[in-house]
Amino acid sequence: MAKTASLVSANGGQPQFQAVRKTRRYQQVAEQIHQLVVQGVLKPGDRLPPERELAEKFGVSRSSIRDALRTLEVMGIAESHHGTGTVVRDFSVDSVAVPLSRLLVRQRHLVAELLDVRGIIEPALASRAAIHASDEQIAHLEEVLRRQRDRVRRGEDAIEEDSEFHYGIALAAGNSVALRIVDVLMDLLSESRTQWLQAPGRREKSYAGHLRILKAIKCRDEAAAREAARKHLSEIEGILMREA
């Protein structure tokens, strides 16, 4: 029988949900729950509190909670059971990456939701990379950006370098599940990314965003790396959604 998230965790505490006050509230709700799963506060089989209770804890509407739970299902982190609520899934490579891949293949047209998933995952990966990246991994990211810079100067697309950079960050973060997910996302968003990079000035903007992320990683600044990745993805999403 599924456990509830109100149970006391192994360290004697309870899941601490923080009220959400910024825009894109459902994404922040999903990110908080995702972090509790990663930290082991919420474990496979734990049942999340009902929508009404979550809405009160986070200080958001029930519709925001529903959107957040749907995002977590897309990520393969949680699953909904009729009559019993939402339960945390077993957090393994196959249980996360495979369901995500299958679902997204059926919904390629939902670019906004794909970008939401990136917005939850990639800033956290950049933050982890700032801690865990080896000197060799950082050197590889620098080489990728040198190639991207050269392509930009020649007026060429740099889709390959773009994918390699984001994949390299996931690799440096040291998370095998994240590697699979980022690989799927890069593939499913390839058409949109090509469209975005072809417009005047956007190759340069993409390169500048990557530089900010790498600078923060090299400085071992977790917060700056997270914010640089968030800003980079926000710029991409803002333009793609205006042109959709």
Side-chain angles (χ1 to χ4, degrees):
M1 184 174 180
K3 302 167 287 181
T4 63
S6 60
L7 292 176
V8 176
S9 62
N11 62 9
Q14 294 184 351
Q16 297 298 308
F17 300 112
Q18 301 176 15
V20 174
R21 299 183 177 84
K22 300 178 182 178
T23 58
R24 306 185 64 78
R25 293 181 174 185
Y26 77 93
Q27 185 173 341
Q28 295 179 65
V29 170
E31 187 170 359
Q32 283 194 44
I33 295 174
H34 175 216
Q35 287 302 312
L36 289 172
V37 173
V38 171
Q39 294 163 9
V41 178
L42 293 176
K43 299 177 176 60
D46 282 352
R47 184 169 59 239
L48 297 180
E51 284 182 11
R52 185 185 301 277
E53 184 178 339
L54 285 173
E56 292 175 355
K57 289 179 179 293
F58 284 108
V60 300
S61 66
R62 292 182 68 175
S63 64
S64 292
I65 294 299
R66 284 192 291 270
D67 287 343
L69 295 178
R70 183 175 64 170
T71 299
L72 291 170
E73 287 187 53
V74 170
M75 295 170 67
I77 292 171
E79 58 186 356
S80 177
H81 294 278
H82 182 68
T84 60
T86 301
V87 177
V88 177
R89 289 182 59 112
D90 180 24
F91 201 63
S92 65
V93 173
D94 288 338
S95 67
V96 175
V98 174
L100 173 65
S101 176
R102 290 174 180 169
L103 180 60
L104 296 187
V105 165
R106 294 198 302 268
Q107 302 187 46
R108 285 177 179 271
H109 63 288
L110 298 180
V111 174
E113 293 198 10
L114 294 173
L115 291 171
D116 281 342
V117 175
R118 285 191 72 184
I120 292 171
I121 294 174
E122 294 197 42
L125 291 178
S127 178
R128 284 178 58 86
I131 305 173
H132 299 292
S134 66
D135 292 341
E136 292 77 11
Q137 288 169 331
I138 290 176
H140 173 69
L141 290 172
E142 289 177 322
E143 170 57 27
V144 171
L145 289 196
R146 279 194 289 271
R147 285 191 271 116
Q148 183 181 13
R149 178 198 61 199
D150 292 342
R151 284 185 176 274
V152 168
R153 288 177 176 175
R154 294 194 299 267
E156 300 172 356
D157 291 337
I159 294 295
E160 181 179 341
E161 286 73 20
D162 181 82
S163 297
E164 190 174 352
F165 180 77
H166 288 280
Y167 190 83
I169 289 176
L171 185 64
N175 188 304
S176 61
V177 173
L179 280 173
R180 293 279 295 277
I181 293 175
V182 169
D183 200 24
V184 170
L185 290 173
M186 291 296 100
D187 178 55
L188 294 175
L189 283 168
S190 60
E191 182 177 346
S192 295
R193 288 161 56 233
T194 300
Q195 172 190 342
W196 186 78
L197 288 170
Q198 285 177 343
R202 291 178 194 163
R203 297 186 185 100
E204 290 80 5
K205 185 179 289 291
S206 174
Y207 173 65
H210 290 170
L211 276 180
R212 288 193 298 268
I213 296 170
L214 182 55
K215 179 180 178 180
I217 291 174
K218 289 176 66 176
C219 291
R220 306 296 182 181
D221 190 329
E222 301 170 59
R226 179 185 294 271
E227 182 56 31
R230 194 187 304 275
K231 181 178 179 181
H232 175 58
L233 294 172
S234 178
E235 288 176 346
I236 294 173
E237 181 174 5
I239 293 172
L240 283 178
M241 290 302 98
R242 283 199 300 271
E243 296 184 352

